[in-house]
C-alpha cells in the first residue's frame, strides 16, 4: 500500500497525472489519495523523487522520497502512511531523525550539488482512513538539534558494530 501511494505521488508530481482514486482496487490506496490530495497542491519545483543519497564520510545511505519546494521552502519531504493519527511531532517517534539523516546525506552527496543546501524538512503523514494528511514541518533550527541527536545515535551504533 505504501508503495502504491508513493507511485501515485510520483506520477502526480512528475507528470501531473492526478488519476481518479476510484481507479484503484484497493480501498486503502483510494483513501491515501484523498488524504494527501490537498498537500500536493503546495509542492512544486520537484528536484528528485525516490532518489538515493550517500553520506560517504559517515558511511550511510538511504532513499529520499522527495526534494521539492513545499510552499516557499526547499525541503526534503518524507511521505509516511499511518493507521493512527499523528498530530504531534512526538507521535512521529524516530521519523524526524530519519529525515535529518537523509538531509545530511543529501547535503554531502556530490550528486545533488546543483540543488544547494537543504536545511528544512517535512514529514507528511498520509492516513489509511482518508483523513486529511498532517504536514509536520521542521525548521533549520529544529533540523540542527535533530542532527546532533542523529550523530549521537550513529556513533552509538558504530561502537556496537565495532565491538
Amino acid at each position: 500500500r505504501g508503495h502504491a501511494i508513493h507511485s501515485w505521488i510520483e506520477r502526480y508530481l512528475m507528470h501531473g497525472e492526478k488519476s481518479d482514486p476510484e481507479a484503484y482496487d484497493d480501498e486503502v490506496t483510494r483513501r491515501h489519495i484523498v488524504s494527501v490530495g490537498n498537500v500536493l497542491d503546495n509542492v512544486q519545483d520537484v528536484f528528485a523523487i525516490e532518489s538515493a543519497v550517500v553520506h560517504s564520510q559517515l558511511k550511510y545511505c538511504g532513499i529520499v522520497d522527495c526534494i521539492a519546494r513545499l510552499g516557499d521552502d526547499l525541503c526534503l519531504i518524507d511521505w509516511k502512511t499511518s493507521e493512527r493519527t499523528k498530530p504531534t511531532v512526538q507521535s512521529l517517534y524516530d521519523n524526524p531523525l530519519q529525515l535529518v539523516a537523509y538531509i545530511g546525506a543529501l547535503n554531502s552527496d556530490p550528486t545533488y550539488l546543483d540543488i544547494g543546501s537543504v536545511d528544512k524538512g517535512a514529514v507528511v503523514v498520509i492516513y489509511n482512513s482518508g483523513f486529511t494528511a498532517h504536514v509536520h514541518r521542521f525548521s533549520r533550527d529544529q533540523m540542527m538539534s535533530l542532527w546532533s541527536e542523529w550523530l549521537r545515535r550513529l556513533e552509538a551504533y558504530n561502537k556496537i558494530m565495532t565491538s
Side-chain angles (χ1 to χ4, degrees), residues 132-146:
T132 302
H134 274 109
V135 179
H136 297 278
R137 296 175 78 127
F138 295 87
S139 69
R140 181 183 187 284
D141 289 345
Q142 289 171 303
M143 290 284 97
M144 294 301 289
S145 175
L146 288 164

Side-chain angles (χ1 to χ4, degrees), residues 35-46:
S35 177
V36 76
N38 67 319
V39 174
L40 296 180
D41 294 335
N42 294 321
V43 177
Q44 58 251 343
D45 301 332
V46 177

Side-chain angles (χ1 to χ4, degrees), residues 5 9 12-13 32 69-70 83 88 105 139-140 148 162-163:
I5 192 61
I9 290 169
Y12 176 74
L13 292 177
H32 284 163
R69 293 201 183 282
L70 184 58
E83 184 69 38
T88 65
S139 69
R140 181 183 187 284
S148 297
T162 56
S163 49

Side-chain angles (χ1 to χ4, degrees), residues 9-29:
I9 290 169
E10 181 175 354
R11 284 191 306 278
Y12 176 74
L13 292 177
M14 299 305 290
H15 309 292
E17 295 176 23
K18 196 169 186 177
S19 58
D20 182 3
E22 297 305 314
Y24 290 83
D25 293 332
D26 181 48
E27 179 65 29
V28 175
T29 298

